Amino acid sequence: ERGQEPPTISKAIQQALQLARANLEEARRSVLDLRAAPLEGRTLAQALKALAHDAGAKGGLEIDFELSGGEHPLPVRIEAGLYRIAQEALANVVQHAGAQRAALSLATLPDQVTLVIADNGHGFDPERTMPDRFGLIGLNERVKLLGGTLQLNSSPGSGTRIEINLPLHP
């Protein structure tokens, strides 16, 4: 009769739903772990300062960190997003810029936060980026997901400056 499923199909559907729910819960836990990991026990400013130091040591360049506007706790997704953005941007500096110096700055205002990454490397023409350079695409996507804007300034021979502005209140 139509409308009635044999017990084996019904049982298989129930098992599939149970497995899907368990996998979704595991994925959520993993995402939360990834978000919290880099900041664990540290403020965003402390984590960014350590990141700048480590990236500089790895790339053999000096990376200064500057904080303005105080060290206010931000929403977790904003802090995690800013950390990942800084991580990707500094990796790009180390890998592609050929810089001797770079700067990472974080400025917090009541309604927005600004992250700036600048270097004195050889720069590039933003209109002619290589198709295999996914770093900038990833940065842009992350910033969009957080409701912010990314401004990129670079030209051959003059370094690169990336400014990210994120609203604190959607």
Side-chain angles (χ1 to χ4, degrees), residues 22-121:
N23 285 340
L24 180 60
E25 189 55 38
E26 179 61 30
R28 283 187 180 133
R29 260 197 311 278
S30 295
V31 168
L32 287 172
D33 289 347
L34 282 174
R35 283 181 12 181
L39 301 176
E40 196 134 341
R42 299 184 291 188
T43 64
L44 176 61
Q46 290 168 333
L48 289 176
K49 187 174 185 175
L51 178 66
H53 177 270
D54 294 348
K58 180 182 178 187
L61 70 153
E62 179 95 16
I63 302 177
D64 298 319
F65 174 71
E66 184 182 314
L67 176 69
S68 60
E71 209 172 330
H72 311 289
L74 302 172
V76 173
R77 68 185 199 90
I78 298 281
E79 287 193 344
L82 285 168
Y83 184 85
R84 297 293 185 206
I85 288 165
Q87 196 174 37
E88 180 67 41
L90 290 178
N92 285 346
V93 170
V94 167
Q95 194 171 7
H96 304 294
Q100 291 82 42
R101 294 189 70 84
L104 175 66
S105 68
L106 180 70
T108 307
L109 299 170
D111 60 339
Q112 78 171 20
V113 62
T114 301
L115 181 72
V116 176
I117 303 97
D119 68 65
N120 71 351

Side-chain angles (χ1 to χ4, degrees), residues 119-142:
D119 68 65
N120 71 351
H122 48 69
F124 64 97
D125 180 353
E127 300 298 314
R128 302 183 64 191
T129 56
M130 302 297 201
D132 61 340
R133 294 270 174 96
F134 296 110
L136 287 173
I137 295 168
L139 284 178
N140 214 12
E141 289 305 310
R142 245 183 231 284

